[in-house]
Amino acid sequence: MFEAKIDANILKGCIESITAIVDEGKLRIAEDGLKLRAVDPANVAMVSFELQSDAFDDFRFVPKGAEPEAVPEAEPTTEPQVSEATEIGMDFRKLLDILGIGGREEVELELDEHAQKLFTRMGSLAYTISLLDSSSLRKEPKVPELEFPAQVIIETEEFRRTIRAAEKIGDHIALGIDGELFYMEAEGEMDKLRLGLRKEQLIHLTPGTLHSLYSLDYITAMSKGMAHAENITLNLGKDYPLQMEFEVAEGKGKVTYLLAPRIESE
Amino acid sequence: MGSKIGEILEPKEISLDVLSGKIVAVDASITLYQFLSTIRQPDGTPLKDSSGRTTSHLSGLIYRTATLMEKGIKFVFVFDGKPTELKAKELKNRSERRAQAMRKWEEARVLFPEEAFKYAQASSKVDKPIVEGAKTLLAYLGIPCLQAPSEGEAQAAYMAQKGDVEFVSSQDYDSLLFGAPAMIRNLTAPRKKTKLEVIELKRLEEKHEITREQLVDIAILVGSDFNPGIKGIGVKTALKLIKKHHDIEKLMAQSDIGKKKGIEDYALVRDIFLHPDVNRSYELKWANPDEGKVKEFLCEEHDFSEERVSKALEKLSRSKHDVPQQKIGQWL
């Protein structure tokens, strides 16, 4: 059983951060909130999304197994029982469209697991979304084990502005650190763009020397997904994936993007 | 050519950008045929060098492929091997049609010039010198060529199934019957006249609720490169029949269709499509174009314009500087 109420704008911001990478995925509902981890169809980027239950005005979840008759007389476990989760196949693009129509009101969500439907209600507007068959969706990716040698924390607006300018120049962008300087660089056939920020102009910087190239198509989509966050944390390496972390739902949710680099052959 | 199943397929128009960074296996015979039949002078004469050798196919390869490679598409050319016995008959028919077209072209060039181009097109033939020339140029361009033991499309479809290439590019639909998950049409055709389309086997199966095996049976009923098919049965009828009776055996048991001519060899044809002879141990290697060799071959040997060839090579070197996108999987 899952029933919840949440500010439509907050939910919209959250869903937008997901649709920057994937249109559909397996959303995990548990007592502590919602979670998703998914890789984009081209296997280039991953999104991890977490929304705590206290981001909701109302959040009630009872796992299937909690119904007494459903609990089998299993061997006794000494471990405290971990709360179970329900997994639903969600068309996020559709949900986003509906939230766009509904406007700024509070949205009520109610899951009917047997009928595989999610009821959404915004004011007097009710919309029933059919869930996707989660067996037809891609398997949830593994949790990446990465070690990033450097970290930069930057104002989102500064980052997004640079990406918007870079888009006009080429199809990829370099992110790097040179000593105590963080830079973003795009070079096209005709034009060149460089943003250089010293340590004191940033919220945080690990000094070093490194540099990686990334697809602008992806970073552009991601920068739209992070529009509501004040700051973003960039974890960087040399010819290494880029990890971008930011908060959603006024700090009660967290989104992490991981983007594979472009690497010069030979 | 190919199976006459076009009408029930579900082509989806796509833009060239979707193919950027993708590996495409090209059915070489059909592509060279396309170049030979369309790259011609207004009266139907193919492009020729000063010693009278046809160069339409080389022109197509250098100019059209360069444009596509600039978009970031990686090519593999797959050539036909030995035709199966069943195809030999179809090939004989084709050669007769070609000879007839050649005669008509000769007549028309004088009497009805506006008809000439059509007949000239139909007289195109991918013969040995054409194939050899194409292979030489492709090698200089650094594009891998693969010799299929039998059908080129079967080989390409096998590579697509394995995931070594993402699409098979062809004009007829046999790639799907050979099991290619996705095929593209009109990739090497002139862009202004034709739309680029992709056909996905899975979508097709879902749409008509049929399996690939059933699609093969449908193709056999309407006629393929390996059997004439039953006269009067179109693809829509064939689809209905196979959906109702499940396969050709049951259809023959429950109707008098087996008495009609055209599908006697259905079991053999089915085997060609479902279990084709393919090369399973191949290696695909791309190299940078050898600009000197390309120019020597095209400009000195075949009288191409040095300026145009240089421009095409420039396009290729631009695509070479593209930095390849990595997949995230290697870090998960």
Side-chain angles (χ1 to χ4, degrees):
Chain A
M1 195 275 301
F2 170 63
E3 278 178 26
K5 279 183 199 169
I6 188 167
D7 180 286
N9 248 0
I10 288 183
L11 186 60
K12 202 166 157 235
C14 291
I15 304 302
E16 274 169 349
S17 73
I18 297 173
T19 54
I21 309 294
V22 291
D23 286 345
E24 51 190 40
K26 294 178 183 175
L27 186 66
R28 194 182 286 267
I29 308 172
E31 269 171 43
D32 56 353
L34 310 182
K35 265 185 199 169
L36 162 111
R37 202 161 64 243
V39 169
D40 88 294
N43 293 317
V44 170
M46 183 176 104
V47 54
S48 306
F49 167 85
E50 279 177 45
L51 187 61
Q52 297 162 25
S53 55
D54 61 1
F56 292 79
D57 303 326
D58 188 19
F59 188 97
R60 281 186 293 159
F61 173 74
V62 182
K64 239 191 203 166
E67 292 143 36
E69 66 271 26
V71 178
E73 290 293 323
E75 59 270 33
T77 46
T78 47
E79 307 265 325
Q81 208 182 348
V82 189
S83 83
E84 272 183 64
T86 293
E87 211 173 61
I88 59 172
M90 195 66 217
D91 184 339
F92 295 109
R93 190 58 67 182
K94 198 188 273 176
L95 178 58
L96 192 60
D97 286 346
I98 295 159
L99 292 169
I101 296 162
R104 299 177 144 266
E105 292 165 74
E106 185 178 63
V107 49
E108 289 173 45
L109 304 171
E110 191 185 330
L111 175 68
D112 182 341
E113 247 190 289
H114 293 290
Q116 284 291 296
K117 304 230 182 269
L118 181 73
F119 301 109
T120 67
R121 202 173 296 111
M122 282 164 283
S124 45
L125 181 73
Y127 196 111
T128 307
I129 304 176
S130 291
L131 299 179
L132 304 174
D133 175 8
S134 79
S135 67
S136 75
L137 293 173
R138 299 183 55 175
K139 234 175 66 193
E140 189 174 74
K142 281 184 232 150
V143 185
E145 283 177 42
L146 294 167
E147 272 178 45
F148 296 95
Q151 187 175 71
V152 169
I153 304 178
I154 181 174
E155 279 176 31
T156 311
E157 200 35 54
E158 188 91 66
F159 182 78
R160 296 186 71 212
R161 194 166 67 111
T162 314
I163 296 299
R164 277 200 297 274
E167 268 177 77
K168 301 189 196 314
I169 291 179
D171 69 345
H172 56 271
I173 188 164
L175 267 61
I177 295 174
D178 186 4
E180 297 210 328
L181 183 89
F182 167 67
Y183 63 87
M184 293 168 74
E185 225 171 47
E187 203 175 325
E189 263 167 55
M190 313 293 285
D191 307 322
K192 202 175 160 170
L193 167 92
R194 185 177 164 100
L195 167 88
L197 293 172
R198 287 187 309 280
K199 194 174 181 183
E200 56 273 23
Q201 292 169 293
L202 293 157
I203 301 158
H204 172 79
L205 171 115
T206 322
T209 315
L210 47 87
H211 167 111
S212 292
L213 289 182
Y214 303 101
S215 149
L216 263 172
D217 280 352
Y218 278 90
I219 296 205
T220 302
M222 290 170 171
S223 80
K224 283 174 188 152
M226 63 181 65
H228 304 290
E230 202 175 322
N231 303 322
I232 51 163
T233 303
L234 309 173
N235 291 309
L236 296 157
K238 182 179 180 293
D239 287 339
Y240 205 61
L242 168 67
Q243 191 179 62
M244 298 194 262
E245 290 173 345
F246 56 94
E247 290 180 342
V248 289
E250 291 156 354
K252 288 168 182 152
K254 195 177 106 177
V255 177
T256 308
Y257 292 145
L258 195 65
L259 173 61
R262 292 175 62 160
I263 299 179
E264 204 109 36
S265 44
E266 276 121 70
Chain B
M1 275 195 274
S3 305
K4 302 157 192 156
I5 54 171
E7 261 180 82
I8 60 163
L9 305 181
E10 297 280 308
K12 199 168 72 184
E13 204 183 321
I14 55 166
S15 88
L16 207 49
D17 297 329
V18 177
L19 300 177
S20 178
K22 299 281 196 299
I23 303 175
V24 176
V26 176
D27 175 358
S29 312
I30 220 158
T31 304
L32 294 178
Y33 178 83
Q34 208 176 30
F35 289 154
L36 284 179
S37 66
T38 56
I39 305 177
R40 283 172 179 264
Q41 295 166 37
D43 75 341
T45 314
L47 307 186
K48 285 179 182 174
D49 63 16
S50 54
S51 30
R53 291 172 295 187
T54 301
T55 57
S56 296
H57 59 305
L58 301 177
S59 167
L61 280 177
I62 181 77
Y63 301 128
R64 295 216 181 126
T65 1
T67 312
L68 295 168
M69 282 166 75
E70 191 189 9
K71 288 271 179 194
I73 302 175
K74 274 174 107 174
F75 284 108
V76 182
F77 274 70
V78 185
F79 286 83
D80 279 340
K82 212 171 142 251
T84 54
E85 268 174 48
L86 288 175
K87 196 166 183 176
K89 213 170 149 198
E90 164 70 15
L91 290 177
K92 202 173 149 242
N93 287 340
R94 272 187 215 168
S95 125
E96 276 162 19
R97 282 200 297 270
R98 207 158 38 225
Q100 202 181 11
M102 188 60 110
R103 281 194 301 275
K104 283 193 176 163
W105 176 37
E106 295 296 342
E107 286 169 26
R109 238 190 332 181
V110 186
L111 301 170
F112 320 100
E114 63 278 6
E115 296 268 290
F117 194 83
K118 192 175 77 191
Y119 292 126
Q121 282 193 313
S123 72
S124 311
K125 183 173 189 240
V126 180
D127 56 14
K128 209 168 170 213
I130 298 281
V131 169
E132 291 312 316
K135 282 184 177 170
T136 306
L137 179 57
L138 287 166
Y140 291 156
L141 288 170
I143 299 172
C145 291
L146 204 73
Q147 183 67 53
S150 184
E151 292 289 321
E153 284 185 278
Q155 180 69 38
Y158 172 75
M159 289 154 66
Q161 276 177 326
K162 259 187 80 184
D164 290 335
V165 307
E166 274 137 316
F167 295 96
V168 175
S169 163
S170 186
Q171 278 315 99
D172 68 44
Y173 308 105
D174 287 357
S175 323
L176 297 167
L177 302 174
F178 284 121
M183 68 162 289
I184 333 170
R185 292 188 78 221
N186 301 332
L187 182 63
T188 44
R191 196 51 3 92
K192 277 173 214 148
K193 288 189 200 156
T194 48
K195 288 173 186 159
L196 187 62
E197 48 190 39
V198 62
I199 304 164
E200 288 164 316
L201 185 58
K202 196 171 159 227
R203 236 168 76 112
L204 186 70
E205 291 171 338
E206 280 169 8
K207 160 88 187 187
H208 296 299
E209 294 173 323
I210 50 170
T211 61
R212 176 180 148 215
E213 287 74 14
Q214 289 178 305
L215 189 65
V216 168
D217 277 7
I218 291 168
I220 293 170
L221 288 176
V222 299
S224 71
D225 279 352
F226 311 101
N227 73 306
I230 295 174
K231 231 181 174 175
I233 290 192
V235 64
K236 284 182 181 159
T237 314
L239 173 66
K240 254 187 237 160
L241 287 172
I242 289 297
K243 279 184 81 164
K244 190 174 165 204
H245 298 278
H246 194 75
D247 57 29
I248 289 185
E249 280 88 354
K250 292 203 188 75
L251 173 64
M252 284 176 27
Q254 289 157 17
S255 72
D256 59 355
I257 214 146
K259 289 182 199 140
K260 295 186 181 167
K261 275 193 168 161
I263 57 166
E264 296 83 351
D265 294 321
Y266 77 89
L268 284 172
V269 180
R270 197 191 271 162
D271 198 50
I272 293 175
F273 282 123
L274 298 179
H275 310 287
D277 190 9
V278 295
N279 173 1
R280 287 163 208 274
S281 57
Y282 50 84
E283 204 183 343
L284 302 178
K285 254 193 192 156
W286 287 267
N288 292 331
D290 185 335
E291 302 199 0
K293 283 268 171 58
V294 172
K295 278 190 189 165
E296 194 188 309
F297 180 67
L298 289 179
C299 307
E300 283 169 38
E301 227 174 288
H302 290 293
D303 309 310
F304 276 61
S305 139
E306 176 132 18
E307 197 192 327
R308 278 194 72 195
V309 170
S310 296
K311 264 194 194 151
L313 286 169
E314 236 173 75
K315 283 186 184 175
L316 291 179
S317 69
R318 231 176 288 156
S319 71
K320 189 179 72 189
H321 289 308
D322 250 8
V323 190
Q325 173 68 56
Q326 306 298 306
K327 302 285 183 193
I328 198 71
Q330 57 184 296
W331 284 283
L332 300 185

